[in-house]
Amino acid sequence: MSAENTPSTTGLTTESAVLAGELFGEGVGTQAGPPSVPAAGTGTAGEATPGSHSHGGPTPTGSPAERLTSTDPDAFGVPTGREETWRFTPMRRIRPLLDGAAPSGTGSDAHLAWTTDLPEGVELVSVDADDPLLKGLPEPVDRLAALARQRSGGAAVVRVAPEAQLDRPVTLGLAGTGSEDVVWGQLVVEVGQFAKATVVLDHTGLARYAGGVAVLVGDGAQVTVVSVQDWAPGAVHGGQFDAVVGRDASYKQVVVTLGGDLVRLVSNVQYAGPGGSAELFGVYFSDETQHQEHRLWVDHAVPNCSSNVLYKGALQGEGARTVWIGDVRIRPEATGTDTYELNRNLVLTDGARADSVPNLEIETGEIVGAGHASATGRFDDEQLFYLCSRGIDAETARRLVVRGFFADVVQLIGIDALQDRLMHAIEVRLGALPGLDEQPVEASAGGA
Amino acid sequence: MSVLEIRDLHVSVGEGDDAKEILRGVDLTVRSGETHAIMGPNGSGKSTLAYSIAGHPKYTITGGTVTLDGEDVLAMTVDERARAGLFLAMQYPVEVPGVSVSNFLRTAATAIKGEAPKLRTWVKDVKIEMAGLEMDSAFAERNVNEGFSGGEKKRHEILQMRLLKPKVAILDETDSGLDVDALRVVSEGVNRTRAEGDVGVLLITHYTRILRYIQPDFVHVFVAGRVVDEGGPELAAKLEDEGYAAYVKDSNEQASIEKAASEVVQA
């Protein structure tokens, strides 16, 4: 299982910024053209699944043909960190969310402080663990998510009435209160048919939080879910997002991860009927000591649905770490599928590491399109040259490029005030970047 | 009154054994109020000349000088060259995701002028110039060059030239890929700049088509990395009729003579 034996590793997983200069050109990284189903037995070395198209190297990418799902945490065992789905995660730091610490009944009062803004046409209710609604949700895909489902002992449900047209976003502010104990949470967003709604989850403060979010998108509904991880330093957040996209419905998810020590989010999409579309957008910005992991799984099992994934991240500082896993599966019955996924990582300093693993499994040739691209590297020299050739100094040009790199995705949120706040937060972070500050004055210029 | 002087410029790309000389001794002087056309076949080094003057890191200057009003351009960084008064309208302008045209233009104007232009007059100036280039005002809110058509990219380049008001503007194949309408609009923008001010223009082109819209004072024929013939507008007419074949043939003969000579020396 050593990487040397792989005939065509494409350098998508980079130890550091080794791909400088080849960043962001069209077609950089990898790109799958119109795919075809390979003949049986032609899978990449080490991968048994015919038709898989992976760039994760010879190691399995955590996207078996069928994933284990269960509401029972013990069905998954306790991860050691050697499992495919956990091998990137710092186990020591995530451990409290896997141990099931402070089981219900021991009297932990750990919680997140909620602030809510509910427009007309929206209700927020609590349901018990045995509510039929919860039985019908997509099942957890790992121990962390199963524990979150079990320990939260029910769920908060945001219900948007059918055909409702909300006059503003639903906003749920979830603020950590600094407790050492794990907070378990389960949220269900249920949007009726033909309704149009945006729901913002705004995570702040200090917490150890394991949260599940299930979004049920009714037929013909248009739903945007924005999840902002603006945690305080020290926070740990793990969780699973599931979207079930109804017939002819549109689902847009924007994940913005800026704060916290460790954030590990799994986002899954499935389609309940034909004609659905899912857009999964994300930005993340990892400083030294931060670990940010985003794992996506789009399961095309019905005809004529589309998915579009765009995640962009930047890293700066010693030990900054990001992981992006993008799994897309097109099952035999999912004819007419159109899917594309793209991950770009901008490595701003030495000592940071970005892993990027797109994985596409195609089991029918009758699709509209399927592709992916991934690139990790330094600044694009051509962009900098273009800006500098207009008189803009190199430092300002770099700031513009990084700012633009993020704005490209942030502007897809569609909420001006939130976009401004996030861009401001990013700019503050950029200000702390040593290489982007004013060049230090040479010693000879000083009077000392 | 400004003057851009290029003397015996030698430029190569690549490093070490892979280094390849592209420019082989270019001499050229462009003064304010003059329009020079550089014409030559593909691969003759025309674009290399443009990018070398602008300071693209891909090209290595191996000999010669470039000065603007006596100042050593080759010693300047890319942004210093622009602030000194040089402008390059690129053949393939670069996309900058997430950076709006209006933000980009204002940042560039601030850099060139040394202070932020007054918002009210600036907005008005941009509107007027965009209208002059028949660009929709919504254009300003798009990301730089992202999803622009070929014509939009070239209009955007000329828009920048209009707003940044350089001393010497180098237009690298600004005519390539333009339909007749766009070519007319872009050419009119260049002509307005020429008529209004003391700008010097270095127009690099493969075709004579744009010279029907922009009248050059001087025409230089560029083959195999150097200027092989010079003249007035009548030279462009000759090239339209006869093409580059004669020059390229001469150049090939010259190259083989040089090659033979060097082989003799080595022997």
Side-chain angles (χ1 to χ4, degrees), chain A residues 26 312 344 380-394 396 400-401 403-405 407-408 411, chain B residues 51 55-56 78-79 82-83 87-88 90 94-95 97-99 103-104 107-108 111-112 143-145 156-157 160:
Chain A
E26 281 307 314
K312 294 172 90 170
R344 285 178 169 175
D380 181 344
D381 289 342
E382 294 299 326
Q383 287 180 3
L384 291 180
F385 174 74
Y386 187 73
L387 295 172
C388 289
S389 78
R390 273 48 177 148
I392 299 168
D393 66 90
T396 305
L400 268 180
V401 168
R403 198 191 174 284
F405 177 80
D408 192 37
Q411 66 198 6
Chain B
Y51 279 90
H56 194 288
V78 175
D79 51 308
R83 292 200 296 274
F87 179 85
L88 170 61
M90 297 192 198
V94 182
E95 291 183 8
V99 178
N103 184 17
F104 165 65
T107 306
I112 297 281
N143 292 333
V144 171
N145 291 321
H156 181 227
E157 294 294 288
Q160 294 166 53

